Amino acid sequence: MLTKDNGVPLYIQLQRLLKEDIVTGKYKEGDMIPSETQLSAKYNITRTTVRKAISNLVNEGLLHQVQGKGTFVCLKQVKYNMWNFGGFTDYLKSRNETPYSKVLESKVTEIDGKPYLQLKRARGVKKGRSTILYLTIDTSLIPMTLFPNINSYDFSTASLYDTMRNKYGIYPKRAELGLCPVECDDLMSKIFRLSKQTYLLMAQGKVFDKYNVEIEKVKVIYGPNIEFKIVANMNTYFPE
């Protein structure tokens, strides 16, 4: 319920309650939330207060209003098309959107006696002031023989591929990837707000520079807001 004496404006309290109901799945994609009149009566607040809370959630991209019909949840309204495999930050900037990365793990490990930065990030797009729509979970293994001290960079704000290009003069050129379904584990379920019975698409493989030197081992889990599309050249066979 709302508290009138805790110093937090009532519209902010209502906004937080509605957001929690959306995030936890009480109101799902496409559901209509209660009307201004219903919310006003339920929480004993003015319709102006309700209207302000809803307006903020609309601006954050969690709700959208249809004239004469009501207000609906639209968290998954936009689909993101991934054509082949490329830099996440570059892709979102091409859409004039703000990329967001949350570092889940960053540590130095050894593979075959060589040091690698093991970097795991939940990656998404900022919707409004405070809402993040997560699109992928990326795990990268980066050879520190090629990228010394790369573990000193903050990849919650820095782009990995921009850092490779601008700080080390190494340019990602091509990727060799395999695609397969993967069942949601606890982390995927939490990040993407899905049940564990859900299957997602996983791309796993290696990234090479222009000299065909391996510069990254990569695994990417694509969330439900990604539509992964592939463009390929066909070797046409003409029968004699």
Side-chain angles (χ1 to χ4, degrees), residues 49-64:
T49 299
V50 174
R51 198 171 295 121
K52 194 168 184 179
I54 289 175
S55 177
N56 285 349
L57 292 172
V58 168
N59 290 335
E60 287 188 25
L62 292 174
L63 297 174
H64 73 111

Side-chain angles (χ1 to χ4, degrees), residues 1-2 12-28 33 43 57 60 62-63 73 75 130-131 193:
M1 298 301 293
L2 307 186
I12 294 294
Q13 294 184 50
L14 178 60
Q15 180 181 335
R16 289 173 179 172
L17 284 176
L18 291 174
K19 181 185 290 188
E20 182 178 357
D21 286 342
I22 293 170
V23 168
T24 57
K26 179 179 178 180
Y27 299 127
K28 296 180 174 59
I33 68 168
Y43 294 107
L57 292 172
E60 287 188 25
L62 292 174
L63 297 174
V73 176
L75 183 60
S130 58
T131 301
R193 306 183 188 117

Side-chain angles (χ1 to χ4, degrees), residues 87-120:
F88 181 88
T89 300
D90 294 338
Y91 170 71
L92 285 181
K93 285 183 177 179
S94 74
R95 294 173 55 104
N96 294 317
E97 297 198 72
T98 304
Y100 180 88
S101 293
K102 179 180 180 180
V103 175
L104 304 173
E105 181 181 58
S106 181
K107 66 180 182 180
V108 176
T109 187
E110 281 196 2
I111 300 176
D112 297 328
K114 297 179 180 180
Y116 283 76
L117 171 62
Q118 182 170 310
L119 178 65
K120 180 181 285 190

